[in-house]
Amino acid sequence: METPIIPLVTDEQQKLADETWRKSIPAQVFLNYFFAINYHIQEADDATGGLQHLPFFRAHQAELTEADLTAVTKLLHSCWSTEYALRSTAELGDEDYLRNALHWTFPQAYHTIMAGLQAFLFTAGVRNNNPSLIRREVGRLVVRNAYPRPISFYAAGAYGDFSIHRLPLAGYKAGLNIASKEIDAQAQIGQFLRTTRKMKAQITRLQVQANPNTALRSQKTGKVLDKWTASHWQQITWRLGYTTIFDLLGRLRISQTSREIERYIEAEIDFKLFHQSLLNIVSYLNGIHETYVAKAIGLERYQQLVDELPKHLRHSFVEQRLRTRVQPTITGEAPAPQMGIAA
C-alpha cells in the first residue's frame, strides 16, 4: 500500500498565506518607497550632506528681528520635540509595538519635517503656514537646487505626460522587493513620484470641476465637462506645481480613522525597517533645514539656541547634528570626534 503524501501546508493554510500576502502588497510597496528614498540618500550623499557645494546655500542670509528669532526658535522646538517622540518609539518598541505605533509615527515623521521646513522657509522670507503655499514654495526651491543631490529629484508635466528629473534610472520598472541596488531605488522613487503626482492631478481636477467659476466646460453646450482630453489636463498643470520629496512625505498623513492605516497595521512587513528608514529620512532633512537656519542666524546664535534647549532635548540628536553636520558644513572644518550620542 502506497504511503499517502501529507502536504506541508494545507490548501486552507496556503489560501490564508496568499491572502495575507495580497493584503500586505500595498504596505510592502509603501515600505519599499521609503526604504528606496533612504537608500538613495545613503548612496548619493557625501559626508556632510552636500549643502556646502550649492550656490543657493552659500548665498543664503537673512535679517531677522528678535521677534523673528523667537518665531524660528518655536518652529525648531516643535520640529525637535516631534523627532524626539519619533525616536522614543523606536527605543521603546518591539516589532508589534512599532506596527501599532503607525497611528502616530506616520504623522510624527511628517510634522517634524514640516516644522523644520517652515523654520528654513521663515529665514528665506516665506512666513506662511498654509500647506499649499508651503508645498509650492519648497517645490520651487528643490528645482532651484536649494537641496543636495540625493533629494533634489522632482516630477513635472501634465497628467499622462509626467517627466522625472534628476533620477536618471527612474524609467526602469519598479519591483516588489526591497531595493538592493541604486537602479531599484531610483525605479521605486520614480514610481512613487508618478503615482503621487497622478493622485494630485485627479484631486485637482475634482476641485476645479466642482467650482462653477473654474470648471472647464464644453464649448458647444456650456456644460461642465465629464470627459477630459490631454489638452484639458494641460490646462490645470500649473496648479500642480512640482512634485518633490515633500509631496511624497505628505502621503504619510493618513487619517487615523481611515481603513488605510489598518491595511498597514495588518500587513506582514518589516516594521522596524520601515521605522528606521523614516527616521533616517527625518534626520537627513531636519539636518539640512537646521544648517540653513544656523547660516541665517549665525553659528554662535544657533549654538546658544541649542545650549538653551529644554532638558529632554539637551545632549541629544540636536547637539549631535550641530557637531557633525551643521557646523562642519558652515565652517568647512571636520567635526571633532565624540562618543555616546545617537546621530
Side-chain angles (χ1 to χ4, degrees):
M1 182 176 176
E2 193 173 332
T3 305
I5 298 173
I6 301 173
L8 293 173
V9 181
T10 66
D11 289 345
E12 192 61 35
Q13 286 172 323
Q14 185 61 51
K15 281 171 68 176
L16 190 62
D18 290 345
E19 178 67 10
T20 301
W21 166 241
R22 189 185 64 76
K23 286 182 176 178
S24 296
I25 288 176
Q28 184 65 50
V29 169
F30 211 50
L31 164 58
N32 290 353
Y33 287 158
F34 285 97
F35 181 87
I37 293 170
N38 180 46
Y39 184 98
H40 182 62
I41 287 171
Q42 306 301 327
E43 287 294 302
D45 191 23
D46 68 13
T48 53
L51 272 180
Q52 71 276 25
H53 307 306
L54 303 179
F56 188 98
F57 173 75
R58 293 201 294 267
H60 185 64
Q61 56 186 342
E63 290 185 16
L64 302 172
T65 65
E66 283 301 317
D68 292 337
L69 285 168
T70 299
V72 170
T73 300
K74 186 177 179 182
L75 286 165
L76 286 176
H77 279 203
S78 175
C79 166
W80 293 331
S81 290
T82 311
E83 183 178 345
Y84 175 85
L86 187 66
R87 287 171 175 270
S88 297
T89 298
E91 291 168 7
L92 295 170
D94 59 12
E95 182 87 10
D96 284 338
Y97 182 75
L98 289 174
R99 174 194 298 267
N100 290 287
L102 291 185
H103 279 295
W104 61 85
T105 54
F106 275 8
Q108 279 174 348
Y110 173 77
H111 287 299
T112 179
I113 288 170
M114 287 301 114
L117 170 60
Q118 282 184 266
F120 160 44
L121 289 177
F122 196 102
T123 67
V126 180
R127 300 172 184 187
N128 193 303
N129 59 6
N130 180 289
S132 296
L133 185 139
I134 289 170
R135 193 188 66 82
R136 187 172 70 243
E137 291 300 323
V138 76
R140 290 172 179 166
L141 288 171
V142 168
V143 173
R144 289 173 62 194
N145 284 309
Y147 286 89
R149 182 180 57 193
I151 52 168
S152 68
F153 52 79
Y154 65 95
Y159 183 91
D161 190 27
F162 298 150
S163 56
I164 308 293
H165 301 260
R166 301 174 187 160
L167 274 179
L169 305 177
Y172 286 89
K173 183 174 174 58
L176 265 180
N177 297 318
I178 288 284
S180 59
K181 299 189 293 289
E182 180 64 10
I183 187 172
D184 303 328
Q186 289 196 31
Q188 288 174 356
I189 297 170
Q191 185 182 61
F192 199 10
L193 284 167
R194 281 186 286 269
T195 58
T196 302
R197 189 166 179 83
K198 181 179 179 181
M199 286 170 59
K200 175 65 177 173
Q202 291 169 336
I203 291 167
T204 302
R205 172 185 166 171
L206 287 173
Q207 292 169 340
V208 166
Q209 295 304 87
N211 184 339
N213 297 320
T214 59
L216 302 188
R217 299 172 182 273
S218 166
Q219 291 182 337
K220 290 182 179 178
T221 66
K223 291 183 178 180
V224 174
L225 287 170
D226 286 330
K227 295 181 179 179
W228 277 30
T229 64
S231 67
H232 296 130
W233 284 110
Q234 286 168 359
Q235 289 179 55
I236 66 161
T237 300
W238 65 273
R239 295 177 182 269
L240 303 182
Y242 300 102
T243 302
T244 70
I245 186 172
F246 296 97
D247 296 283
L248 305 186
L249 291 163
R251 296 280 295 274
L252 292 169
R253 288 181 300 164
I254 298 171
S255 167
Q256 294 181 28
T257 59
S258 75
R259 293 174 62 188
E260 187 83 22
I261 195 78
E262 295 303 327
R263 285 203 306 175
Y264 296 119
I265 289 172
E266 292 169 6
E268 292 302 322
I269 61 171
D270 189 336
F271 287 93
K272 284 191 174 182
L273 182 63
F274 204 153
H275 195 275
Q276 190 57 53
S277 298
L278 276 182
L279 201 50
N280 290 347
I281 295 166
V282 162
S283 182
Y284 183 78
L285 281 165
N286 285 354
I288 289 168
H289 295 142
E290 289 157 17
T291 308
Y292 266 112
V293 170
K295 189 169 188 304
I297 71 175
L299 199 51
E300 190 175 334
R301 185 64 187 259
Y302 186 81
Q303 177 72 63
Q304 182 186 343
L305 190 158
V306 172
D307 291 341
E308 295 171 354
L309 280 171
K311 187 176 179 181
H312 70 286
L313 289 171
R314 283 185 202 160
H315 311 301
S316 69
F317 58 90
V318 180
E319 186 179 302
Q320 173 75 349
R321 280 203 297 259
L322 167 57
R323 187 182 64 80
T324 60
R325 294 184 56 189
V326 177
Q327 188 170 336
T329 301
I330 293 173
T331 64
E333 299 172 1
Q338 184 178 332
M339 303 294 286
I341 304 176

